[in-house]
Amino acid sequence: MRLYLVTLLCLLSTLAIAQTGIRGTIKSSTGEELPFSTIYIKGTTNGTTANEKAHYFLRTPPGKHTIVVQYVGYAILEREVNVVDGQTIEMHFTLEEQALQLKTVTITAGDENPAYRVIREAIKKRKFYENEVRAFKNDAYIKGLFRLRKRPDKILGQKITIDTGIVYLSESVSKFAFERPDKISERMISSKVSGNEQGFSFNQASDFNINPYEKNYSHDILGERVFISPISNQAFLIYDFEWLGIFEENGKLINKIKIIPKRSTDPAFEGVVYIVEDEWRFHTLDLLATKARGIEFTDSLRIHQVFAPTQNDIWMPLSQKFEFQFGAFGFKGDGYYLGVYSNYEVEPNYDLYKEEKLFASTFEGEEEKDLFSEDDFTAEVLYVEEGSNKRDSTYWQNIRPIPLTTVEVDDYRVKDSIRVVKESVPYKDSVDNVRNKLSVGNVLLTGYTHYNSIAEKYWALPSIQSTFQFNTVEGLVTEFQPTIWSQNDERTKYWVRPSLRYGFSSEKFYAKFDASYRFLDDQFTRIYVGGGSYVSQFNSQEAISPFINSYMTLFSGDNFMKLYQKSYGYTRFQKELVNGIRMNARLEYAVRDTLSNTTDFTWAKDENVAFTSNLPYNEELNGGTDGAIGTGFSTSKALTASVVFRIRFKQRYATRPDMKFTYSSKYPELFVTLKKGFADVSYDFVSLRVTDDMNLGLSGSSTYSVEAGSFLSSNSMTFADFKHFSGNQTSLSQVDKQYKFELLPYYTFSTKDTYVEAHFEHHFNEFIFNKIPLIKKLNFQAVGSVNYLNTKAIGNYVEIGAGIEHIFKFMRVDYYWAFRDGKSEANGFRIGVGF
């Protein structure tokens, strides 16, 4: 009986994985493996791609089929096959190098190079093919693989434990839909990440939905630069073209053309394009971008796209591959993302065909049909199915269009085994014991973190060097801020941060705590609480960082940080009310007091150095007179209630079983702020801010912010309640701070009245410097900015800045000019550090 059951189970498992189709290898006539060759059933988009070892499996329905195999540089091969249901046929293909017909061409005055003729015709048809498809849907298989080929033993004295080999391997299968101009919908039905059973793949089909007929290529993997298409209207200014020959395929003549950038640093590809004669559409693309041309995150990127005809002879991508190499800090590696697309349903752009007078000949006897209804597309652009990461090996063997290589099979097997070990209690304990050892470097430089991986509870202590700062109110300050937090599946659930602070000159001790709890829902709900007795900058957005202020005070004799004391308690609540509208509400009660300088210590050598009062000068309160009496106040009790609404129009989002992700919108974002003061203060404040990021193609990208606000009533206020602006009186710029001025005094023009504030910054990327000999090799990028402020006291204040960023990859230098009511106010350099 037991033997019968075992035999039955074996039989059932064999039937479960029985597949109908063909499998084999694809090689050249010399026996060379042809990896990632394309193979499909003629007349359909049912196809696949060979793996790195040139092995393939093509799932087919039962019956007779014509199998098409192609590889760049080789002649297309067709073979007949008759597949029986439940049968897998072994078929090996041998491809011959493409025999190109090289016509003898004599070019005389007025004649045109054959390659230029083809490209010129393709440019004429570019807009048509860009808009030819109104909508489509398909099945998408995306595979991502990263390999580390070389690694250093140590970096900055720290031992590198990661090994060479595959460091990331992931697969996903999705149902993908698209409708012009930018509607997308993707349903991920299966996801697999090597070594992470709970993980979800980030291989989204939408990330690789690239229309090759757009005039420019723009993609995150290319970095900030926009690359020019070889058939854009500017192509002849950017590229040279070489006609390599022509060949016949299924009754169509295919031109093979080499594209050659004219200049070494232009945002241009090199490679080969195949264009169908008379139709002037792409057959195959093989494009290469290199680091010298501005890609940032990799050393090189190769884009390979293969197209095949669908309904009405509309050609769509059958497969595409993004192959890259990288190297930095002693690491070297490579990888790729590979997409295989099948089961296309395509809705043509009927109106376009009518405009081109092609409708009758192309769609004779057909009805115009909409592929989608209005309800088929929502703000949810990606939905990852529950259990999509739980598919077993049998499922993947049946659904995977590309066979795994032996190395990949081993990677899944070994990492799954390692995962089991890593998730065990003894392993986590042993790892924590190693990580929890205290070192001199932890104490002095990096800080210390204690891990309890089993309970997902952690606590951290700051390093000694980070606990010290200096200001004229407290003198030498030591501030100790440990943090305790807990996670749920690697997502922070709550954190608590007590803070202790002592000023050696003021001889005052302060203490406070802050805490946050996150609800693991799809509305980003969080609660914050805190309170204590502490010092605060008048500008709660931290007008100047403690590090910069300490440096300026000690070495230049400038005490820009202005502090007051408050004893307070607060609670804050954050939640997304509906998709795109997020609320952040805060209620605080505080008792505020002014503070005075207690030290004049400095290392500045100038004998004329004199620190300014801790009460900042303000033109509205001081009426243009010297001194700063107007910003002082006696003990003040304030109950303040505020709410900020962030409104993101047509916000798109992705839903996974464990969380929700939101994406930025193509529309401007709005921030509406309402604030009211009670108790010893009485005021009402309202503001509206509009922000946006704009990609301007080859000329770069811009960001802007425009804000208008007003105190509708200001019956009783302290200087702490004013609207403060982010200024700068040092030569050091805080690059990561948004909406800032670079020459504006920190508090001189703070207001309790109406104001208008605007900021604009344009990053030219390499649009300017890549045209200047020698300098273009440095990969510098130009940046320009304009800042504007209008208040009752300052009038019309404008800053104009011009700068260079990406100096040594992380430094930025700007020069600014400031004007007040049309008259020069100030100027100077600003240096910042950031990526």
Side-chain angles (χ1 to χ4, degrees):
M1 183 66 177
R2 181 178 299 175
L3 179 61
Y4 170 77
L5 288 174
V6 171
T7 303
L8 179 60
L9 288 172
C10 291
L11 177 61
L12 289 175
S13 63
T14 302
L15 292 174
I17 62 174
Q19 300 178 80
T20 303
I22 60 174
R23 71 171 68 248
T25 59
I26 304 172
K27 297 182 178 181
S28 71
S29 57
T30 60
E32 180 186 358
E33 295 175 347
L34 300 179
F36 305 109
S37 300
T38 300
I39 179 169
Y40 63 97
I41 301 173
K42 187 175 183 178
T44 75
T45 55
N46 180 10
T48 187
T49 300
N51 66 18
E52 284 185 283
K53 296 298 182 181
H55 290 264
Y56 76 91
F57 175 75
L58 176 62
R59 192 170 292 103
T60 68
K64 293 182 178 181
H65 305 288
T66 300
I67 305 301
V68 181
V69 183
Q70 63 186 85
Y71 187 81
V72 173
Y74 288 78
I76 194 169
L77 180 63
E78 296 185 5
R79 283 175 57 182
E80 302 292 329
V81 66
N82 188 7
V83 182
V84 178
D85 191 16
Q87 180 184 28
T88 299
I89 298 175
E90 191 166 303
M91 292 183 69
H92 301 288
F93 295 91
T94 301
L95 303 187
E96 301 287 341
E97 286 193 26
Q98 183 69 62
L100 296 172
Q101 300 174 27
L102 295 172
K103 297 178 180 178
T104 302
V105 179
T106 302
I107 300 178
T108 60
D111 287 344
E112 189 170 36
N113 183 313
Y116 284 76
R117 177 189 64 85
V118 174
I119 295 296
R120 196 179 304 280
E121 294 295 339
I123 291 173
K124 291 177 184 177
K125 291 288 287 187
R126 183 188 65 80
K127 287 291 290 183
F128 176 82
Y129 288 127
E130 180 184 359
N131 299 288
E132 179 185 25
V133 175
R134 181 179 176 275
F136 71 87
K137 59 182 176 181
N138 62 22
D139 295 338
Y141 166 83
I142 308 293
K143 178 181 179 181
L145 183 145
F146 297 178
R147 268 183 301 248
L148 191 61
R149 302 288 189 181
K150 182 181 177 181
R151 66 166 178 84
D153 294 328
K154 291 183 178 181
I155 291 183
L156 299 177
Q158 298 295 313
K159 186 176 180 180
I160 304 300
T161 57
I162 188 172
D163 204 355
T164 55
I166 296 176
V167 294
Y168 175 79
L169 173 60
S170 176
E171 301 172 276
S172 66
V173 177
S174 299
K175 301 284 186 180
F176 181 71
F178 171 83
E179 183 177 272
R180 295 192 61 82
D182 59 359
K183 294 180 180 179
I184 59 174
S185 175
E186 181 174 355
R187 188 178 188 90
M188 188 177 291
I189 60 177
S190 50
S191 170
K192 187 175 179 67
V193 180
S194 182
N196 187 353
E197 187 183 42
Q198 302 300 319
F200 293 96
S201 172
F202 285 92
N203 306 342
Q204 292 179 221
S206 57
D207 287 341
F208 302 97
N209 182 35
I210 294 177
N211 187 334
Y213 295 101
E214 292 183 354
K215 63 181 180 180
N216 297 319
Y217 280 71
S218 178
H219 196 281
D220 289 342
I221 202 167
L222 287 169
E224 295 178 348
R225 295 198 82 179
V226 174
F227 275 64
I228 301 169
S229 166
I231 60 168
S232 75
N233 292 337
Q234 304 174 63
F236 291 114
L237 299 175
I238 303 299
Y239 295 100
D240 286 323
F241 301 94
E242 180 182 347
W243 189 71
L244 300 179
I246 194 167
F247 61 90
E248 185 177 347
E249 181 180 292
N250 294 324
K252 298 179 184 290
L253 294 176
I254 314 298
N255 292 279
K256 181 178 181 181
I257 297 175
K258 184 177 182 180
I259 59 174
I260 308 162
K262 289 180 180 289
R263 289 166 292 274
S264 61
T265 55
D266 277 346
F269 298 103
E270 53 189 282
V272 177
V273 296
Y274 294 78
I275 296 176
V276 182
E277 183 77 14
D278 295 327
E279 298 177 14
W280 315 118
R281 69 167 83 243
F282 286 129
H283 172 280
T284 305
L285 291 175
D286 191 11
L287 307 175
L288 175 67
T290 60
K291 199 165 194 174
R293 302 190 180 280
I295 60 174
E296 292 188 72
F297 308 114
T298 60
D299 292 334
S300 66
L301 172 69
R302 183 177 294 277
I303 301 173
H304 182 74
Q305 292 179 295
V306 177
F307 303 88
T310 62
Q311 306 102 293
N312 304 114
D313 202 35
I314 296 174
W315 291 44
M316 299 294 291
L318 191 63
S319 68
Q320 59 183 2
K321 183 184 178 188
F322 293 76
E323 189 175 7
F324 53 87
Q325 294 182 328
F326 61 88
F329 306 111
F331 292 95
K332 286 188 178 297
D334 56 63
Y336 63 82
Y337 281 101
L338 178 65
V340 177
Y341 308 95
S342 59
N343 299 322
Y344 272 99
E345 292 184 48
V346 178
E347 178 190 334
N349 187 340
Y350 294 110
D351 292 337
L352 180 63
Y353 274 85
K354 290 174 183 177
E355 289 175 13
E356 298 289 327
K357 297 182 170 42
L358 297 172
F359 182 83
S361 60
T362 307
F363 306 108
E364 184 176 359
E366 292 187 21
E367 293 184 14
E368 296 184 33
K369 295 180 180 179
D370 291 334
L371 190 58
F372 302 110
S373 67
E374 286 293 328
D375 298 332
D376 288 329
F377 294 97
T378 66
E380 185 182 53
V381 295
L382 172 65
Y383 175 77
V384 181
E385 287 187 357
E386 185 81 35
S388 61
N389 60 337
K390 304 294 185 184
R391 311 293 191 187
D392 60 21
S393 58
T394 301
Y395 167 88
W396 279 103
Q397 186 174 343
N398 280 305
I399 200 72
R400 181 186 289 123
I402 304 174
L404 296 177
T405 65
T406 303
V407 172
E408 292 165 353
V409 171
D410 289 343
D411 188 74
Y412 274 129
R413 177 180 54 79
V414 171
K415 286 182 178 175
D416 285 346
S417 300
I418 292 174
R419 174 185 53 79
V420 174
V421 174
K422 286 185 174 181
E423 291 177 355
S424 66
V425 172
Y427 179 85
K428 288 185 176 181
D429 276 341
S430 65
V431 172
D432 286 349
N433 288 336
V434 173
R435 292 192 293 185
N436 290 340
K437 289 181 179 178
L438 189 64
S439 69
V440 175
N442 296 147
V443 175
L444 297 178
L445 301 174
T446 62
Y448 174 77
T449 300
H450 184 276
Y451 297 84
N452 184 343
S453 302
I454 299 170
E456 291 192 277
K457 296 183 186 298
Y458 313 87
W459 52 269
L461 303 177
S463 64
I464 289 179
Q465 61 89 16
S466 67
T467 61
F468 290 102
Q469 55 180 280
F470 189 88
N471 64 69
T472 55
V473 172
E474 301 167 285
L476 178 64
V477 175
T478 180
E479 186 175 44
F480 184 66
Q481 292 184 323
T483 304
I484 303 166
W485 73 96
S486 175
Q487 294 183 333
N488 186 325
D489 290 334
E490 300 183 353
R491 298 170 64 192
T492 300
K493 190 173 184 180
Y494 70 79
W495 57 262
V496 179
R497 182 177 297 120
S499 300
L500 305 174
R501 182 181 180 111
Y502 181 75
F504 287 91
S505 177
S506 63
E507 298 182 346
K508 285 188 176 181
F509 175 80
Y510 300 98
K512 68 172 181 176
F513 83 95
D514 298 279
S516 173
Y517 181 86
R518 178 166 72 175
F519 296 83
L520 302 180
D521 57 15
D522 290 339
Q523 286 77 47
F524 308 99
T525 308
R526 298 194 75 148
I527 295 176
Y528 301 81
V529 294
S533 179
Y534 226 68
V535 295
S536 174
Q537 295 190 45
F538 283 99
N539 186 341
S540 61
Q541 302 303 310
E542 197 172 82
I544 184 171
S545 73
F547 172 80
I548 293 178
N549 181 75
S550 299
Y551 173 82
M552 297 302 297
T553 303
L554 290 172
F555 294 98
S556 297
D558 294 310
N559 59 320
F560 293 124
M561 181 181 285
K562 306 302 180 183
L563 302 170
Y564 71 97
Q565 177 181 311
K566 70 175 183 177
S567 300
Y568 69 101
Y570 77 90
T571 181
R572 183 159 70 92
F573 180 73
Q574 172 187 294
K575 186 181 182 68
E576 186 174 58
L577 304 179
V578 297
N579 182 53
I581 301 180
R582 189 175 299 190
M583 179 190 71
N584 200 322
R586 179 185 176 104
L587 182 67
E588 177 183 279
Y589 179 78
V591 179
R592 292 94 60 90
D593 285 289
T594 56
L595 296 170
S596 301
N597 293 334
T598 64
T599 181
D600 59 0
F601 179 81
T602 181
W603 288 322
K605 296 180 180 180
D606 189 346
E607 296 181 356
N608 296 320
V609 167
F611 288 128
T612 59
S613 167
N614 183 57
L615 297 177
Y617 174 80
N618 177 262
E619 285 204 4
E620 284 189 19
L621 291 179
N622 295 90
T625 62
D626 294 333
I629 300 174
T631 57
F633 56 88
S634 57
T635 300
S636 170
K637 300 175 182 178
L639 175 65
T640 57
S642 64
V643 60
V644 179
F645 296 97
R646 190 203 70 185
I647 304 171
R648 184 178 288 170
F649 297 101
K650 294 189 176 181
Q651 173 183 274
R652 296 180 174 188
Y653 64 92
T655 304
R656 293 190 344 188
D658 59 340
M659 66 180 71
K660 174 182 176 181
F661 296 91
T662 62
Y663 301 106
S664 59
S665 169
K666 67 178 182 179
Y667 301 97
E669 285 187 357
L670 300 185
F671 294 82
V672 179
T673 300
L674 305 171
K675 188 174 182 180
K676 186 173 182 63
F678 304 89
D680 291 346
V681 298
S682 176
Y683 63 86
D684 294 277
F685 173 80
V686 61
S687 72
L688 172 66
R689 185 169 80 240
V690 182
T691 67
D692 197 13
D693 299 329
M694 301 178 294
N695 188 331
L696 302 180
L698 291 173
S699 60
S701 60
S702 297
T703 62
Y704 73 82
S705 168
V706 179
E707 179 177 344
S710 181
F711 286 87
L712 304 179
S713 65
S714 54
N715 300 323
S716 177
M717 296 177 64
T718 69
F719 190 62
D721 302 307
F722 274 44
K723 167 64 182 180
H724 303 288
F725 306 101
S726 183
N728 188 9
Q729 292 175 255
T730 77
S731 59
L732 302 176
S733 175
Q734 294 177 251
V735 175
D736 57 342
K737 183 179 284 190
Q738 291 182 309
Y739 320 130
K740 64 183 185 299
F741 297 90
E742 292 293 359
L743 298 173
L744 185 74
Y746 293 111
Y747 294 107
T748 303
F749 301 106
S750 300
T751 186
K752 62 175 181 177
D753 210 319
T754 300
Y755 68 92
V756 177
E757 175 183 6
H759 304 271
F760 175 83
E761 189 167 82
H762 183 74
H763 300 265
F764 290 90
N765 299 333
E766 296 185 24
F767 181 71
I768 293 178
F769 289 125
N770 75 333
K771 296 174 175 60
I772 303 175
L774 299 180
I775 292 180
K776 64 184 180 181
K777 294 183 178 181
L778 300 174
N779 294 322
F780 289 167
Q781 298 185 6
V783 60
S785 56
V786 178
N787 303 311
Y788 173 79
L789 178 64
N790 177 275
T791 68
K792 179 175 65 175
I794 200 172
N796 291 300
Y797 174 84
V798 179
E799 290 179 356
I800 300 174
I804 302 173
E805 56 186 351
H806 285 213
I807 303 173
F808 307 120
K809 289 293 184 183
F810 62 86
M811 186 178 294
R812 173 173 166 174
V813 177
D814 296 82
Y815 194 85
Y816 287 89
W817 298 265
F819 302 90
R820 185 177 179 185
D821 288 331
K823 297 180 180 180
S824 178
E825 180 81 357
N827 56 77
F829 281 101
R830 294 293 182 263
I831 300 173
V833 174
F835 292 93

